[in-house]
Short mmCIF file of all heavy atoms in Angstrom, two decimals:
data_model
loop_
_atom_site.label_atom_id
_atom_site.label_comp_id
_atom_site.label_asym_id
_atom_site.label_seq_id
_atom_site.Cartn_x
_atom_site.Cartn_y
_atom_site.Cartn_z
N VAL A 352 -80.81 -242.13 -217.16
CA VAL A 352 -81.15 -240.77 -217.61
C VAL A 352 -82.28 -240.22 -216.80
O VAL A 352 -83.31 -240.89 -216.60
CB VAL A 352 -81.51 -240.78 -219.14
CG1 VAL A 352 -81.85 -239.34 -219.56
CG2 VAL A 352 -80.38 -241.31 -219.97
N VAL A 353 -82.12 -238.99 -216.27
CA VAL A 353 -83.17 -238.40 -215.44
C VAL A 353 -83.45 -236.96 -215.92
O VAL A 353 -82.60 -236.34 -216.57
CB VAL A 353 -82.77 -238.35 -213.99
CG1 VAL A 353 -82.63 -239.77 -213.39
CG2 VAL A 353 -81.46 -237.55 -213.74
N GLN A 354 -84.58 -236.48 -215.56
CA GLN A 354 -84.94 -235.06 -215.72
C GLN A 354 -84.68 -234.40 -214.39
O GLN A 354 -85.23 -234.88 -213.37
CB GLN A 354 -86.39 -234.86 -216.17
CG GLN A 354 -86.76 -233.38 -216.24
CD GLN A 354 -88.25 -233.19 -216.58
OE1 GLN A 354 -88.94 -234.19 -216.83
NE2 GLN A 354 -88.71 -231.96 -216.55
N SER A 355 -83.93 -233.33 -214.38
CA SER A 355 -83.59 -232.62 -213.15
C SER A 355 -84.54 -231.41 -212.96
O SER A 355 -84.84 -230.68 -213.89
CB SER A 355 -82.14 -232.17 -213.18
OG SER A 355 -81.86 -231.28 -212.13
N TYR A 356 -84.88 -231.18 -211.69
CA TYR A 356 -85.67 -229.99 -211.37
C TYR A 356 -84.99 -229.35 -210.15
O TYR A 356 -85.13 -229.83 -209.07
CB TYR A 356 -87.12 -230.33 -211.04
CG TYR A 356 -88.00 -229.11 -210.85
CD1 TYR A 356 -88.63 -228.51 -211.95
CD2 TYR A 356 -88.18 -228.56 -209.63
CE1 TYR A 356 -89.40 -227.38 -211.78
CE2 TYR A 356 -89.00 -227.40 -209.41
CZ TYR A 356 -89.59 -226.86 -210.51
OH TYR A 356 -90.35 -225.70 -210.36
N GLY A 357 -84.28 -228.25 -210.44
CA GLY A 357 -83.59 -227.55 -209.37
C GLY A 357 -82.49 -228.32 -208.67
O GLY A 357 -82.06 -227.98 -207.58
N PHE A 358 -82.02 -229.41 -209.32
CA PHE A 358 -80.97 -230.25 -208.77
C PHE A 358 -81.39 -230.84 -207.43
O PHE A 358 -80.57 -231.21 -206.59
CB PHE A 358 -79.67 -229.50 -208.64
CG PHE A 358 -78.85 -229.44 -209.89
CD1 PHE A 358 -79.27 -228.80 -210.98
CD2 PHE A 358 -77.62 -230.05 -209.94
CE1 PHE A 358 -78.54 -228.76 -212.17
CE2 PHE A 358 -76.83 -230.03 -211.07
CZ PHE A 358 -77.29 -229.39 -212.20
N ARG A 359 -82.74 -230.93 -207.24
CA ARG A 359 -83.19 -231.50 -205.99
C ARG A 359 -84.16 -232.69 -206.25
O ARG A 359 -84.20 -233.64 -205.51
CB ARG A 359 -83.98 -230.47 -205.15
CG ARG A 359 -83.11 -229.36 -204.59
CD ARG A 359 -83.82 -228.59 -203.50
NE ARG A 359 -82.91 -227.62 -202.89
CZ ARG A 359 -82.97 -226.32 -203.13
NH1 ARG A 359 -83.86 -225.86 -204.00
NH2 ARG A 359 -82.17 -225.49 -202.52
N LYS A 360 -84.91 -232.59 -207.35
CA LYS A 360 -85.79 -233.67 -207.69
C LYS A 360 -85.35 -234.24 -209.09
O LYS A 360 -84.95 -233.52 -209.94
CB LYS A 360 -87.26 -233.17 -207.84
CG LYS A 360 -87.83 -232.65 -206.54
CD LYS A 360 -89.27 -232.15 -206.76
CE LYS A 360 -89.84 -231.61 -205.48
NZ LYS A 360 -91.24 -231.09 -205.71
N TYR A 361 -85.47 -235.54 -209.23
CA TYR A 361 -85.06 -236.22 -210.45
C TYR A 361 -86.12 -237.19 -210.85
O TYR A 361 -86.61 -238.00 -210.06
CB TYR A 361 -83.71 -236.95 -210.23
CG TYR A 361 -82.61 -236.05 -209.77
CD1 TYR A 361 -82.28 -235.97 -208.37
CD2 TYR A 361 -81.94 -235.20 -210.59
CE1 TYR A 361 -81.29 -235.11 -207.94
CE2 TYR A 361 -80.95 -234.36 -210.18
CZ TYR A 361 -80.62 -234.33 -208.85
OH TYR A 361 -79.63 -233.46 -208.42
N PHE A 362 -86.54 -237.08 -212.13
CA PHE A 362 -87.58 -237.95 -212.65
C PHE A 362 -86.97 -238.82 -213.73
O PHE A 362 -86.27 -238.40 -214.62
CB PHE A 362 -88.69 -237.07 -213.24
CG PHE A 362 -89.31 -236.15 -212.28
CD1 PHE A 362 -88.92 -234.82 -212.30
CD2 PHE A 362 -90.23 -236.56 -211.37
CE1 PHE A 362 -89.44 -233.93 -211.38
CE2 PHE A 362 -90.79 -235.67 -210.47
CZ PHE A 362 -90.39 -234.33 -210.47
N PRO A 363 -87.19 -240.15 -213.61
CA PRO A 363 -86.56 -241.10 -214.55
C PRO A 363 -87.04 -240.93 -215.97
O PRO A 363 -88.21 -240.75 -216.21
CB PRO A 363 -86.96 -242.48 -213.97
CG PRO A 363 -88.17 -242.22 -213.19
CD PRO A 363 -88.04 -240.82 -212.63
N ILE A 364 -86.08 -241.03 -216.91
CA ILE A 364 -86.44 -240.90 -218.33
C ILE A 364 -86.21 -242.24 -219.06
O ILE A 364 -87.06 -242.72 -219.80
CB ILE A 364 -85.57 -239.79 -219.00
CG1 ILE A 364 -85.85 -238.45 -218.34
CG2 ILE A 364 -85.84 -239.74 -220.51
CD1 ILE A 364 -87.27 -237.93 -218.44
N GLY A 365 -84.98 -242.82 -218.91
CA GLY A 365 -84.76 -244.10 -219.63
C GLY A 365 -83.27 -244.37 -219.74
O GLY A 365 -82.47 -243.85 -219.02
N ARG A 366 -82.95 -245.20 -220.74
CA ARG A 366 -81.57 -245.66 -220.93
C ARG A 366 -80.77 -244.62 -221.69
O ARG A 366 -81.31 -243.90 -222.54
CB ARG A 366 -81.57 -246.99 -221.71
CG ARG A 366 -82.27 -248.09 -221.04
CD ARG A 366 -82.00 -249.44 -221.71
NE ARG A 366 -82.24 -249.38 -223.15
CZ ARG A 366 -83.39 -249.59 -223.73
NH1 ARG A 366 -84.49 -249.84 -222.98
NH2 ARG A 366 -83.56 -249.56 -225.00
N LEU A 367 -79.49 -244.57 -221.38
CA LEU A 367 -78.56 -243.62 -222.06
C LEU A 367 -78.51 -243.89 -223.56
O LEU A 367 -78.56 -242.98 -224.37
CB LEU A 367 -77.20 -243.74 -221.46
CG LEU A 367 -76.06 -242.90 -222.12
CD1 LEU A 367 -76.40 -241.39 -222.01
CD2 LEU A 367 -74.72 -243.16 -221.48
N SER A 368 -78.45 -245.15 -223.93
CA SER A 368 -78.36 -245.49 -225.35
C SER A 368 -79.53 -244.97 -226.16
O SER A 368 -79.35 -244.49 -227.27
CB SER A 368 -78.23 -247.03 -225.51
OG SER A 368 -79.34 -247.69 -224.94
N LYS A 369 -80.75 -245.03 -225.55
CA LYS A 369 -81.92 -244.58 -226.22
C LYS A 369 -81.93 -243.08 -226.40
O LYS A 369 -82.26 -242.54 -227.43
CB LYS A 369 -83.14 -245.05 -225.48
CG LYS A 369 -84.37 -245.22 -226.32
CD LYS A 369 -84.24 -246.38 -227.31
CE LYS A 369 -85.49 -246.69 -228.02
NZ LYS A 369 -85.28 -247.77 -229.01
N SER A 370 -81.52 -242.38 -225.33
CA SER A 370 -81.48 -240.90 -225.39
C SER A 370 -80.47 -240.40 -226.42
O SER A 370 -80.79 -239.51 -227.23
CB SER A 370 -81.10 -240.34 -223.98
OG SER A 370 -82.17 -240.50 -223.08
N ILE A 371 -79.28 -241.05 -226.49
CA ILE A 371 -78.31 -240.67 -227.48
C ILE A 371 -78.83 -240.93 -228.89
O ILE A 371 -78.65 -240.12 -229.82
CB ILE A 371 -76.98 -241.38 -227.21
CG1 ILE A 371 -76.34 -240.83 -225.95
CG2 ILE A 371 -76.02 -241.23 -228.39
CD1 ILE A 371 -75.11 -241.60 -225.54
N GLU A 372 -79.48 -242.05 -229.06
CA GLU A 372 -80.04 -242.44 -230.33
C GLU A 372 -80.99 -241.34 -230.86
O GLU A 372 -80.98 -240.94 -231.98
CB GLU A 372 -80.76 -243.78 -230.26
CG GLU A 372 -81.40 -244.22 -231.56
CD GLU A 372 -82.26 -245.49 -231.36
OE1 GLU A 372 -82.02 -246.24 -230.39
OE2 GLU A 372 -83.14 -245.72 -232.18
N TYR A 373 -81.89 -240.90 -229.95
CA TYR A 373 -82.87 -239.92 -230.37
C TYR A 373 -82.25 -238.55 -230.62
O TYR A 373 -82.60 -237.84 -231.57
CB TYR A 373 -83.98 -239.76 -229.32
CG TYR A 373 -84.95 -240.94 -229.39
CD1 TYR A 373 -85.16 -241.76 -228.31
CD2 TYR A 373 -85.61 -241.25 -230.59
CE1 TYR A 373 -86.03 -242.83 -228.35
CE2 TYR A 373 -86.52 -242.31 -230.66
CZ TYR A 373 -86.70 -243.11 -229.53
OH TYR A 373 -87.55 -244.17 -229.61
N MET A 374 -81.30 -238.17 -229.76
CA MET A 374 -80.61 -236.83 -229.98
C MET A 374 -79.91 -236.84 -231.33
O MET A 374 -79.96 -235.84 -232.08
CB MET A 374 -79.62 -236.54 -228.88
CG MET A 374 -80.14 -236.54 -227.47
SD MET A 374 -81.51 -235.39 -227.26
CE MET A 374 -81.94 -235.76 -225.54
N ASP A 375 -79.28 -237.94 -231.67
CA ASP A 375 -78.56 -238.04 -232.93
C ASP A 375 -79.57 -238.00 -234.12
O ASP A 375 -79.41 -237.26 -235.07
CB ASP A 375 -77.76 -239.34 -232.95
CG ASP A 375 -76.74 -239.39 -234.08
OD1 ASP A 375 -76.68 -238.48 -234.89
OD2 ASP A 375 -75.96 -240.37 -234.11
N TYR A 376 -80.64 -238.81 -234.00
CA TYR A 376 -81.59 -238.95 -235.09
C TYR A 376 -82.41 -237.64 -235.27
O TYR A 376 -82.66 -237.22 -236.42
CB TYR A 376 -82.55 -240.09 -234.75
CG TYR A 376 -83.65 -240.29 -235.83
CD1 TYR A 376 -83.28 -240.83 -237.08
CD2 TYR A 376 -84.94 -239.84 -235.63
CE1 TYR A 376 -84.25 -241.00 -238.06
CE2 TYR A 376 -85.89 -240.05 -236.64
CZ TYR A 376 -85.54 -240.59 -237.82
OH TYR A 376 -86.50 -240.77 -238.81
N TRP A 377 -82.72 -236.94 -234.21
CA TRP A 377 -83.53 -235.73 -234.29
C TRP A 377 -82.71 -234.57 -234.88
O TRP A 377 -83.29 -233.62 -235.42
CB TRP A 377 -84.05 -235.30 -232.93
CG TRP A 377 -85.16 -236.09 -232.42
CD1 TRP A 377 -86.06 -236.85 -233.17
CD2 TRP A 377 -85.60 -236.21 -231.09
NE1 TRP A 377 -86.99 -237.45 -232.34
CE2 TRP A 377 -86.74 -237.07 -231.05
CE3 TRP A 377 -85.15 -235.72 -229.85
CZ2 TRP A 377 -87.42 -237.42 -229.92
CZ3 TRP A 377 -85.83 -236.02 -228.71
CH2 TRP A 377 -86.94 -236.90 -228.72
N GLY A 378 -81.41 -234.59 -234.85
CA GLY A 378 -80.60 -233.56 -235.48
C GLY A 378 -79.83 -232.70 -234.52
O GLY A 378 -79.46 -231.56 -234.87
N SER A 379 -79.52 -233.19 -233.33
CA SER A 379 -78.68 -232.43 -232.38
C SER A 379 -77.28 -232.26 -233.01
O SER A 379 -76.81 -233.07 -233.78
CB SER A 379 -78.59 -233.16 -231.06
OG SER A 379 -77.83 -232.44 -230.13
N ASP A 380 -76.63 -231.15 -232.66
CA ASP A 380 -75.31 -230.86 -233.18
C ASP A 380 -74.17 -231.41 -232.25
O ASP A 380 -73.06 -231.58 -232.70
CB ASP A 380 -75.11 -229.35 -233.35
CG ASP A 380 -76.10 -228.81 -234.39
OD1 ASP A 380 -76.17 -229.38 -235.48
OD2 ASP A 380 -76.76 -227.82 -234.06
N GLU A 381 -74.49 -231.58 -231.00
CA GLU A 381 -73.52 -232.00 -230.03
C GLU A 381 -74.24 -232.50 -228.81
O GLU A 381 -75.41 -232.12 -228.54
CB GLU A 381 -72.59 -230.82 -229.62
CG GLU A 381 -71.42 -231.14 -228.75
CD GLU A 381 -70.55 -229.94 -228.53
OE1 GLU A 381 -70.49 -229.00 -229.40
OE2 GLU A 381 -69.87 -229.88 -227.44
N ILE A 382 -73.60 -233.36 -228.00
CA ILE A 382 -74.23 -233.90 -226.80
C ILE A 382 -73.25 -233.77 -225.63
O ILE A 382 -72.04 -234.03 -225.75
CB ILE A 382 -74.60 -235.40 -226.93
CG1 ILE A 382 -75.71 -235.53 -228.02
CG2 ILE A 382 -75.08 -235.98 -225.61
CD1 ILE A 382 -76.03 -237.04 -228.32
N ILE A 383 -73.82 -233.30 -224.51
CA ILE A 383 -73.06 -233.31 -223.24
C ILE A 383 -73.74 -234.30 -222.32
O ILE A 383 -74.96 -234.27 -222.06
CB ILE A 383 -73.10 -231.93 -222.52
CG1 ILE A 383 -72.35 -230.91 -223.40
CG2 ILE A 383 -72.43 -231.99 -221.15
CD1 ILE A 383 -72.39 -229.49 -222.80
N ILE A 384 -72.93 -235.24 -221.79
CA ILE A 384 -73.46 -236.23 -220.84
C ILE A 384 -72.86 -235.94 -219.47
O ILE A 384 -71.64 -235.84 -219.34
CB ILE A 384 -73.02 -237.69 -221.22
CG1 ILE A 384 -73.56 -237.99 -222.65
CG2 ILE A 384 -73.55 -238.68 -220.22
CD1 ILE A 384 -72.95 -239.27 -223.25
N THR A 385 -73.71 -235.74 -218.46
CA THR A 385 -73.24 -235.45 -217.14
C THR A 385 -73.76 -236.45 -216.17
O THR A 385 -74.99 -236.65 -216.04
CB THR A 385 -73.71 -234.02 -216.65
OG1 THR A 385 -73.28 -233.05 -217.57
CG2 THR A 385 -73.16 -233.73 -215.32
N GLU A 386 -72.86 -237.17 -215.50
CA GLU A 386 -73.26 -238.15 -214.47
C GLU A 386 -73.16 -237.42 -213.10
O GLU A 386 -72.11 -236.95 -212.72
CB GLU A 386 -72.28 -239.32 -214.48
CG GLU A 386 -72.39 -240.25 -213.30
CD GLU A 386 -73.75 -240.94 -213.21
OE1 GLU A 386 -74.06 -241.87 -213.95
OE2 GLU A 386 -74.55 -240.48 -212.30
N ILE A 387 -74.33 -237.32 -212.45
CA ILE A 387 -74.40 -236.60 -211.17
C ILE A 387 -74.35 -237.57 -209.98
O ILE A 387 -74.31 -237.15 -208.84
CB ILE A 387 -75.62 -235.73 -211.10
CG1 ILE A 387 -76.92 -236.52 -211.22
CG2 ILE A 387 -75.55 -234.60 -212.15
CD1 ILE A 387 -78.17 -235.68 -210.96
N GLY A 388 -74.36 -238.90 -210.26
CA GLY A 388 -74.23 -239.86 -209.19
C GLY A 388 -72.79 -239.92 -208.71
O GLY A 388 -71.90 -239.35 -209.31
N LYS A 389 -72.60 -240.63 -207.62
CA LYS A 389 -71.25 -240.65 -206.99
C LYS A 389 -70.45 -241.94 -207.34
O LYS A 389 -69.31 -242.07 -206.90
CB LYS A 389 -71.41 -240.57 -205.45
CG LYS A 389 -72.09 -239.30 -204.97
CD LYS A 389 -71.33 -238.07 -205.42
CE LYS A 389 -72.01 -236.79 -204.88
NZ LYS A 389 -71.27 -235.59 -205.30
N GLY A 390 -71.04 -242.85 -208.08
CA GLY A 390 -70.36 -244.09 -208.41
C GLY A 390 -69.28 -243.91 -209.44
O GLY A 390 -69.13 -242.82 -210.03
N PRO A 391 -68.50 -244.96 -209.68
CA PRO A 391 -67.43 -244.91 -210.70
C PRO A 391 -68.04 -244.80 -212.09
O PRO A 391 -69.19 -245.13 -212.34
CB PRO A 391 -66.69 -246.26 -210.52
CG PRO A 391 -67.73 -247.16 -209.92
CD PRO A 391 -68.59 -246.30 -209.04
N ILE A 392 -67.21 -244.32 -213.07
CA ILE A 392 -67.62 -244.21 -214.42
C ILE A 392 -67.94 -245.56 -215.01
O ILE A 392 -67.10 -246.49 -214.87
CB ILE A 392 -66.55 -243.52 -215.29
CG1 ILE A 392 -66.20 -242.16 -214.70
CG2 ILE A 392 -67.00 -243.36 -216.74
CD1 ILE A 392 -64.98 -241.52 -215.31
N ASP A 393 -69.09 -245.71 -215.61
CA ASP A 393 -69.45 -246.97 -216.30
C ASP A 393 -68.99 -246.92 -217.73
O ASP A 393 -69.77 -246.56 -218.63
CB ASP A 393 -70.99 -247.24 -216.14
CG ASP A 393 -71.39 -248.63 -216.62
OD1 ASP A 393 -70.59 -249.27 -217.36
OD2 ASP A 393 -72.47 -249.08 -216.23
N PHE A 394 -67.74 -247.29 -217.96
CA PHE A 394 -67.17 -247.20 -219.27
C PHE A 394 -67.85 -248.13 -220.29
O PHE A 394 -68.01 -247.81 -221.47
CB PHE A 394 -65.67 -247.48 -219.26
CG PHE A 394 -64.83 -246.46 -218.55
CD1 PHE A 394 -64.41 -246.73 -217.22
CD2 PHE A 394 -64.50 -245.29 -219.11
CE1 PHE A 394 -63.69 -245.74 -216.55
CE2 PHE A 394 -63.77 -244.34 -218.45
CZ PHE A 394 -63.33 -244.54 -217.14
N ILE A 395 -68.31 -249.23 -219.81
CA ILE A 395 -68.97 -250.20 -220.68
C ILE A 395 -70.30 -249.65 -221.19
O ILE A 395 -70.63 -249.70 -222.38
CB ILE A 395 -69.20 -251.57 -219.98
CG1 ILE A 395 -67.86 -252.21 -219.69
CG2 ILE A 395 -70.05 -252.50 -220.82
CD1 ILE A 395 -67.97 -253.51 -218.86
N ASN A 396 -71.10 -249.08 -220.29
CA ASN A 396 -72.36 -248.47 -220.69
C ASN A 396 -72.12 -247.34 -221.63
O ASN A 396 -72.86 -247.17 -222.64
CB ASN A 396 -73.08 -248.01 -219.40
CG ASN A 396 -74.47 -247.39 -219.73
OD1 ASN A 396 -75.20 -247.90 -220.66
ND2 ASN A 396 -74.83 -246.34 -219.08
N LEU A 397 -71.14 -246.49 -221.35
CA LEU A 397 -70.82 -245.39 -222.24
C LEU A 397 -70.44 -245.88 -223.64
O LEU A 397 -70.91 -245.39 -224.66
CB LEU A 397 -69.68 -244.55 -221.65
CG LEU A 397 -70.06 -243.38 -220.76
CD1 LEU A 397 -68.76 -242.78 -220.17
CD2 LEU A 397 -70.86 -242.33 -221.45
N LYS A 398 -69.52 -246.85 -223.69
CA LYS A 398 -69.04 -247.36 -224.98
C LYS A 398 -70.19 -247.95 -225.80
O LYS A 398 -70.36 -247.69 -226.98
CB LYS A 398 -67.97 -248.45 -224.73
CG LYS A 398 -67.42 -249.04 -226.00
CD LYS A 398 -66.34 -250.08 -225.65
CE LYS A 398 -65.79 -250.69 -226.93
NZ LYS A 398 -64.73 -251.71 -226.68
N ASN A 399 -71.01 -248.76 -225.12
CA ASN A 399 -72.16 -249.37 -225.85
C ASN A 399 -73.17 -248.33 -226.31
O ASN A 399 -73.79 -248.50 -227.37
CB ASN A 399 -72.81 -250.41 -224.97
CG ASN A 399 -71.94 -251.64 -224.70
OD1 ASN A 399 -71.02 -251.89 -225.49
ND2 ASN A 399 -72.19 -252.33 -223.64
N SER A 400 -73.35 -247.27 -225.56
CA SER A 400 -74.37 -246.27 -225.91
C SER A 400 -73.88 -245.35 -227.05
O SER A 400 -74.69 -244.79 -227.77
CB SER A 400 -74.63 -245.36 -224.65
OG SER A 400 -75.21 -246.15 -223.64
N LEU A 401 -72.55 -245.27 -227.20
CA LEU A 401 -72.00 -244.34 -228.22
C LEU A 401 -71.66 -245.08 -229.54
O LEU A 401 -71.18 -244.45 -230.44
CB LEU A 401 -70.69 -243.75 -227.67
CG LEU A 401 -70.87 -242.77 -226.51
CD1 LEU A 401 -69.49 -242.34 -225.99
CD2 LEU A 401 -71.70 -241.54 -226.94
N ILE A 402 -71.87 -246.36 -229.57
CA ILE A 402 -71.34 -247.16 -230.68
C ILE A 402 -71.79 -246.70 -232.04
O ILE A 402 -71.03 -246.80 -233.03
CB ILE A 402 -71.64 -248.68 -230.45
CG1 ILE A 402 -70.77 -249.55 -231.30
CG2 ILE A 402 -73.15 -248.93 -230.64
CD1 ILE A 402 -70.75 -251.01 -230.87
N ASN A 403 -72.99 -246.20 -232.16
CA ASN A 403 -73.55 -245.76 -233.49
C ASN A 403 -73.65 -244.21 -233.57
O ASN A 403 -74.23 -243.75 -234.54
CB ASN A 403 -74.88 -246.40 -233.73
CG ASN A 403 -74.76 -247.92 -233.92
OD1 ASN A 403 -73.88 -248.38 -234.66
ND2 ASN A 403 -75.65 -248.67 -233.25
#
Side-chain angles (χ1 to χ4, degrees):
V352 179
V353 295
Q354 177 185 354
S355 169
Y356 187 87
F358 276 64
R359 291 195 176 104
K360 296 179 181 179
Y361 303 99
F362 303 98
I364 299 298
R366 301 191 307 274
L367 176 61
S368 58
K369 207 67 172 176
S370 291
I371 291 175
E372 177 187 340
Y373 284 122
M374 301 307 174
D375 195 355
Y376 180 74
W377 283 340
S379 183
D380 298 309
E381 186 176 332
I382 295 174
I383 296 176
I384 302 169
T385 303
E386 171 61 77
I387 61 173
K389 299 301 182 182
I392 302 169
D393 189 338
F394 293 100
I395 294 176
N396 183 39
L397 270 175
K398 181 179 179 180
N399 292 338
S400 298
L401 293 173
I402 197 164
N403 293 314

